[in-house]
Amino acid sequence: MMSSSFNVFRVGISFVVVCIFYKSAVDSLPELSPQKYFSTLQSGKASLAYFCQADSPSTSIFLEELNKAVKPLQDYGISVAKVNCVKEEASRYCGKEKDLMKAYLFRGNILLREFPTDTLFDVNAIIAHVLFALLFNEVKYVTTLEGLQNIENALKGKANIAFAYVRAIGTPEHRAVMESAFVYGTTYQFVLTTETALLGSIGTEDVEYAHLYFFHCKPVLDLTQQCRRTLMEQPLTTLNIYQFIKSMEAPLLTEVAEDPQQVSTVHLQLGLPLVFIVSQQATYEADRRTAEWVAWRLLGKAGVLLLLRDSLEVDIPQQANVVFKREEGMPVEYLVLHDIDLVISHVENNMYTEEIREDEDDDIEGPDMDTLGIEDDEVAETVYRDKKRQLPLELTVELTEETFNGTVTASDSIVLFYAGWQAVSMAFLQSYIDLAIKLKGTSTMLLARVNCADWSDVCTKQNVTEFPAVKMYKEGENPVSYAGMLGTEDLLKFIQLNRISCPVNITSVQEAEEYLHGELYKDLISHSRVSVLGLFSPTMTTAKENFTEAGKYLKGYVITGIYSEEDVSILSNKYTATLPTLLLARHKEDKVESIPLANTHAQDIIQIITNSLLETFPEITVENLPTYLRLQKPLLTLFSDGNINPQYKKAILTLIKEKHLDSLTPCWLNLKNTPVGRRILQAYFDALPPLPVLVVVNLHSGGQVFAFPSDQAVTEQNLLLWLEKLEAGLESPITILPAQEWKPPLPAYNFLRMMDAAAFQHSSRKGPECMEDTGVQENDQEQHEDKPAIRKEPTETLRIKHWNRSNVFKAEKSFRHDNKEL
């Protein structure tokens, strides 16, 4: 990446200017004859020659600027001189007048570059041009977004980037960038542009001023992930860039357990303040996450430390949650700030800045977007993009501590618990409002919401420990937690299927037939592809109880019914079933199949029903992927750029029917519907292979990826022979996926777990819990105690402590989760 020649010329560089000179008082420039000048050139040293003729017109203005550049260039090991042309000594640089309007840059006796003197218009231009020419490999010049992305991709996992935009070459800002590159060029890759379009393409429209970004590429190992970007908000001076880069090198967050007055870090040495986020053992994890958010927001502006109150030997005010230290030796400030924006504002308002732009917009949200690298996060980016969208919040009822209990006990209610400072919450709030629009005038269910940033006590009493959360409250029933996907359609399905009390008590054979054929609940069939009917004789008490328990457990996700009359044998005989049995009516296929339930517990019934919802050869999408991953089988996946070939589908379905694929999960992925499939294939093959392509991916044991031979047709025989070779270990994998985990930064951002919950991952549980109707539990303030019928949540203190209504923060992409790459 960095040229080894950089270290050679920085040891000693001579910069000689050969000038057309008319006798003046510029005595600091050494005057040499051509012969003397060339005799002083040394290998590895650089020089710029500007030859002088005694009878040439005056160039005093140029020489004055050159004289100013002597001392700064000497600081970089570069010497400056002028050469007087004399008739006795011939030199090709002492030629015609037009030839003498250029400066010539050498290294040793080799000419590197020539500059027209009008480009060296002042001291800044001289220094900038010389360093730019010498730092050719350390500073890459780009004109397009593609060029910048190529450099970024090449450096991921290797080095960070300092990307600068300057209005023109030779400006003071250009000089500052070059001087910084001279010092840090072997550590960071510097990239320069003067293209306004390129600056706009990375999210900054203010092209009037120079900008510098720090691209955090070294920690990035995924080539598809963009490097986080931090914007330097101070003017581009050499000192400011130095301080900025040094602050990038400092730890993002430091834990301390000592008197803040005695703490000193590199930030104070750089003239930056310190911000201590006060933590205690009970809320340590949440406080640390908050401190990390603040640290990213203040990166380059202040140092952020996590102050462990429980380990302190000195007392700090009990209510203080932030400690601010402006500089060394000054008393610290103990603050109570209930909003992260207030923390940021307090720091920014107490910083000493070299320059305040009079026309700078007061709204700092734009720069903050770059500072946070929010372009890297799809959820937060969506929230930012839609932040000016006016939501019809009046379609939902905003609840407070005073109104919550009375509202949810007076009417059936759906309540959204969210945090106004959190990106995922705000994104889901938009979906929640869209749901209210769909249900307007058609539903008796009240849609309400609680902002936990304002009413943390309410959320704590409702056992809300992550955001966003949705609970359903019905009279005489325990609250039910929604555990499905965070989208309008999935939540609508949950509400609609909860309109009926499952399992439905079927009272006649005719009603049972109507139920199985989708006629009994026609308006709900679109939300449930399968209807489940349990058949029992009147004496099968235990079996009926187990089925009833399972039906309640799956309420809101599938329609279940029970028939236990004396004439139940009519149905069992018709569908060739032995009692007790479970009838699965698949409405799309207009087919009814039976599954015996003898000696089957509720846990097993739940598993049977959830497995019945799975397709035999499904199209994989982002939404249903966790459902099939939880089967813990290797994936046999056919990747297609559109609908799959009917012959391929027939071959795979035949093998499924013949039980040859029981040890695999056969599926297909349409790249047109799920574009992320292209990146998945690139991870498998390095380059996108011709489609369609069939692969086996063993995610759960070893991470091997095997590809079906591209020169063979996908037939039953060929596919079966290939699978037999795989089983015998005769095939080599095309790649092995790394065993790394993609963990979310916060538990509340664990989208895979939310997806798994939507897919009914119950296998690890002993059985359904909290199924009995115990009525509404009450405490001293008559609040509901949530005993969810879908998911048991841990009882713990709501982790909002002191942080209300902050800006959108960085969340992990929703498709980056606890599993390896698909």
Side-chain angles (χ1 to χ4, degrees):
M1 177 189 70
M2 311 301 177
S3 171
S4 60
S5 62
F6 175 83
N7 290 324
V8 176
F9 75 73
R10 73 180 297 175
V11 173
I13 301 174
S14 63
F15 176 36
V16 184
V17 176
V18 188
C19 49
I20 303 172
F21 183 65
Y22 151 78
K23 182 69 176 179
S24 72
V26 186
D27 296 327
S28 59
L29 289 173
E31 297 187 24
L32 304 172
S33 66
Q35 184 177 359
K36 179 64 175 176
Y37 166 68
F38 285 111
S39 67
T40 61
L41 296 181
Q42 299 178 28
S43 177
K45 294 186 177 181
S47 63
L48 180 68
Y50 184 64
F51 289 75
C52 309
Q53 289 184 344
D55 58 350
S56 66
S58 172
T59 55
S60 59
I61 296 177
F62 168 74
L63 292 174
E64 287 175 6
E65 296 300 317
L66 181 61
N67 186 52
K68 297 176 184 177
V70 172
K71 180 62 170 64
L73 289 173
Q74 285 177 344
D75 292 339
Y76 296 110
I78 303 171
S79 62
V80 181
K82 58 187 173 71
V83 177
N84 292 323
C85 292
V86 293
K87 294 181 180 180
E88 295 78 12
E89 296 183 22
S91 173
R92 68 186 182 95
Y93 301 104
C94 292
K96 299 178 181 179
E97 182 70 19
K98 62 180 182 180
D99 296 326
L100 296 173
M101 299 304 292
K102 296 179 181 178
Y104 300 89
L105 180 65
F106 297 87
R107 178 175 293 141
N109 59 1
I110 300 174
L111 177 65
L112 296 181
R113 182 86 179 270
E114 60 182 47
F115 301 104
T117 53
D118 59 358
T119 64
L120 308 179
F121 46 86
D122 65 10
V123 60
N124 294 312
I126 293 171
I127 296 173
H129 276 286
V130 170
L131 293 180
F132 197 17
L134 295 175
L135 297 173
F136 177 78
N137 290 316
E138 284 67 35
V139 182
K140 302 293 186 183
Y141 184 83
V142 295
T143 59
T144 64
L145 179 61
E146 181 181 5
L148 177 60
Q149 290 174 340
N150 289 338
I151 295 175
E152 182 178 344
N153 289 334
L155 294 180
K156 287 176 180 177
K158 300 176 183 177
N160 297 318
I161 298 173
F163 170 72
Y165 160 80
V166 295
R167 290 169 293 173
I169 300 298
T171 59
E173 294 84 1
H174 181 210
R175 170 187 171 179
V177 173
M178 291 302 103
E179 289 179 323
S180 302
F182 186 89
V183 177
Y184 291 106
T186 54
T187 306
Y188 307 108
Q189 177 65 68
F190 279 70
V191 180
L192 182 73
T193 190
T194 56
E195 298 295 325
T196 57
L198 176 54
L199 183 66
S201 67
I202 65 172
T204 300
E205 299 178 354
D206 181 10
V207 297
E208 185 178 355
Y209 301 99
H211 296 277
L212 187 139
Y213 289 88
F214 192 91
F215 286 25
H216 303 266
C217 293
K218 193 170 184 178
V220 178
L221 301 178
D222 181 1
L223 293 181
T224 64
Q225 179 183 351
Q226 190 181 61
C227 302
R228 185 192 289 268
R229 301 167 182 173
T230 300
L231 172 67
M232 174 181 159
E233 295 187 2
Q234 290 77 24
L236 260 65
T237 66
T238 304
L239 179 59
N240 284 345
I241 295 176
Y242 167 80
Q243 292 177 332
F244 179 72
I245 291 179
K246 292 296 288 184
S247 67
M248 296 298 103
E249 295 175 341
L252 178 68
L253 179 65
T254 304
E255 291 187 11
V256 295
E258 57 183 301
D259 184 0
Q261 192 69 54
Q262 306 301 320
V263 174
S264 179
T265 71
V266 67
H267 300 90
L268 292 178
Q269 300 170 19
L270 296 173
L272 301 176
L274 296 182
V275 177
F276 298 79
I277 305 300
V278 182
S279 177
Q280 56 190 10
Q281 185 175 358
T283 57
Y284 169 81
E285 293 295 336
D287 294 336
R288 181 175 177 84
R289 292 192 295 267
T290 301
E292 288 176 351
W293 293 337
V294 174
W296 278 114
R297 288 283 303 276
L298 292 177
L299 189 59
K301 302 177 185 178
V304 179
L305 304 95
L306 188 65
L307 183 61
L308 307 178
R309 184 195 294 267
D310 297 336
S311 303
L312 284 176
E313 295 181 359
V314 295
D315 293 330
I316 62 175
Q318 185 63 32
Q319 298 301 318
N321 61 341
V322 175
V323 182
F324 183 77
K325 186 174 184 178
R326 178 61 189 87
E327 61 184 47
E328 202 79 62
M330 287 186 62
V332 299
E333 297 178 58
Y334 295 99
L335 308 171
V336 181
L337 300 175
H338 295 299
D339 189 325
I340 290 184
D341 277 346
L342 294 179
V343 178
I344 307 301
S345 298
H346 185 84
V347 172
E348 293 176 340
N349 293 336
N350 284 275
M351 290 179 63
Y352 300 142
T353 56
E354 292 182 12
E355 176 181 345
I356 299 177
R357 300 168 183 162
E358 294 179 359
D359 58 344
E360 185 169 320
D361 193 290
D362 291 333
D363 184 2
I364 63 170
E365 290 182 356
D368 277 352
M369 290 293 294
D370 295 306
T371 302
L372 289 170
I374 283 180
E375 292 90 342
D376 294 346
D377 177 61
E378 296 172 355
V379 177
E381 182 185 14
T382 300
V383 174
Y384 179 79
R385 185 177 62 247
D386 295 340
K387 69 183 191 307
K388 294 184 179 179
R389 173 187 171 191
Q390 295 296 321
L391 296 176
L393 296 176
E394 65 277 2
L395 295 178
T396 62
V397 178
E398 183 175 10
L399 301 181
T400 67
E401 188 172 8
E402 290 75 22
T403 61
F404 181 89
N405 195 51
T407 301
V408 299
T409 54
S411 60
D412 293 345
S413 307
I414 285 282
V415 181
L416 166 64
F417 298 89
Y418 68 101
W421 50 261
Q422 188 214 37
V424 180
S425 286
M426 298 311 294
F428 185 54
L429 178 61
Q430 297 174 9
S431 298
Y432 192 68
I433 296 301
D434 291 340
L435 173 67
I437 294 173
K438 284 179 174 286
L439 293 177
K440 185 178 180 181
T442 64
S443 175
T444 59
M445 185 73 66
L446 175 70
L447 269 66
R449 54 189 167 85
V450 177
N451 188 344
C452 295
D454 295 327
W455 306 103
S456 58
D457 287 346
V458 174
C459 299
T460 300
K461 291 168 184 174
Q462 296 307 308
N463 200 22
V464 175
T465 58
E466 60 186 28
F467 311 115
V470 176
K471 295 179 185 290
M472 176 177 288
Y473 296 83
K474 284 190 173 185
E475 184 179 359
E477 300 181 14
N478 291 321
V480 176
S481 293
Y482 172 70
M485 291 289 293
L486 299 179
T488 302
E489 294 303 322
D490 290 276
L491 185 54
L492 177 62
K493 170 185 173 181
F494 177 74
I495 293 174
Q496 296 290 50
L497 293 184
N498 264 287
R499 285 167 40 194
I500 58 177
S501 181
C502 290
V504 178
N505 189 27
I506 305 298
T507 58
S508 67
V509 171
Q510 181 181 353
E511 188 180 14
E513 293 287 7
E514 293 174 353
Y515 171 84
L516 291 172
H517 291 89
E519 298 173 2
L520 192 60
Y521 299 104
K522 286 184 179 180
D523 56 334
L524 298 180
I525 294 304
S526 61
H527 300 293
S528 181
R529 296 184 296 106
V530 176
S531 292
V532 180
L533 180 64
L535 300 182
F536 307 91
S537 68
T539 60
M540 296 177 175
T541 306
T542 302
K544 287 191 291 184
E545 289 177 351
N546 288 333
F547 181 82
T548 300
E549 195 171 356
K552 289 182 178 179
Y553 196 84
L554 296 173
K555 180 182 177 183
Y557 296 96
V558 65
I559 300 175
T560 58
I562 186 170
Y563 187 69
S564 181
E565 301 297 328
E566 295 290 346
D567 56 355
V568 67
S569 59
I570 297 176
L571 292 172
S572 63
N573 292 334
K574 178 179 179 179
Y575 295 104
T576 319
T578 302
L579 299 180
T581 194
L582 185 146
L583 298 182
L584 296 173
R586 303 182 184 276
H587 304 298
K588 190 175 182 180
E589 295 89 352
D590 194 23
K591 181 176 66 175
V592 178
E593 59 184 273
S594 64
I595 300 175
L597 291 181
N599 300 317
T600 306
H601 300 291
Q603 161 82 27
D604 301 317
I605 296 174
I606 291 172
Q607 196 63 58
I608 290 171
I609 295 175
T610 54
N611 287 343
S612 72
L613 300 178
L614 302 180
E615 300 180 45
T616 54
F617 187 46
E619 178 185 353
I620 289 295
T621 65
V622 173
E623 291 78 14
N624 69 13
L625 171 63
T627 301
Y628 295 94
L629 282 181
R630 70 184 177 87
L631 298 176
Q632 299 286 309
K633 296 179 181 180
L635 297 178
L636 173 66
T637 309
L638 178 64
F639 288 84
S640 175
D641 194 19
N643 292 328
I644 56 177
N645 186 314
Q647 292 181 343
Y648 295 173
K649 183 176 181 180
K650 180 182 178 182
I652 294 174
L653 288 175
T654 299
L655 294 181
I656 292 173
K657 186 176 181 180
E658 295 175 354
K659 305 294 184 180
H660 292 301
L661 302 183
D662 285 356
S663 61
L664 303 172
T665 298
C667 56
W668 67 288
L669 193 149
N670 187 341
L671 270 61
K672 290 184 177 179
N673 296 338
T674 310
V676 72
R678 297 184 183 277
R679 285 189 287 171
I680 295 171
L681 285 176
Q682 288 172 351
Y684 295 168
F685 293 90
D686 292 330
L688 191 66
L691 298 177
V693 62
L694 186 66
V695 299
V696 169
V697 187
N698 192 359
L699 287 175
H700 305 288
S701 178
Q704 300 96 338
V705 179
F706 300 91
F708 183 77
S710 58
D711 58 347
Q712 294 185 21
V714 180
T715 64
E716 300 166 28
Q717 184 178 6
N718 289 343
L719 185 53
L720 188 58
L721 288 174
W722 179 63
L723 292 175
E724 289 175 350
K725 288 182 179 180
L726 287 185
E727 187 175 358
L730 301 178
E731 290 283 329
S732 299
I734 59 172
T735 189
I736 297 178
L737 301 177
Q740 66 192 89
E741 292 183 340
W742 297 95
K743 292 185 177 180
L746 302 175
Y749 294 163
N750 193 338
F751 297 103
L752 182 63
R753 188 176 68 180
M754 298 177 189
M755 291 176 171
D756 283 340
F760 314 112
Q761 188 172 6
H762 305 297
S763 59
S764 62
R765 296 178 52 170
K766 295 180 179 179
E769 301 179 22
C770 308
M771 288 292 98
E772 69 279 3
D773 290 330
T774 59
V776 176
Q777 302 285 333
E778 297 183 353
N779 57 20
D780 293 340
Q781 297 186 14
E782 298 183 347
Q783 297 285 348
H784 292 287
E785 178 186 349
D786 184 15
K787 291 191 175 182
I790 304 302
R791 172 180 74 209
K792 185 176 180 180
E793 300 172 323
T795 303
E796 56 183 59
T797 304
L798 181 65
R799 292 177 174 172
I800 302 178
K801 190 171 179 286
H802 298 312
W803 304 107
N804 298 338
R805 294 189 298 270
S806 123
N807 249 351
V808 172
F809 293 116
K810 181 88 170 113
E812 193 71 2
K813 286 184 179 179
S814 60
F815 199 63
R816 195 173 298 143
H817 44 57
D818 285 338
N819 279 278
K820 304 171 189 172
E821 186 177 4
L822 171 60

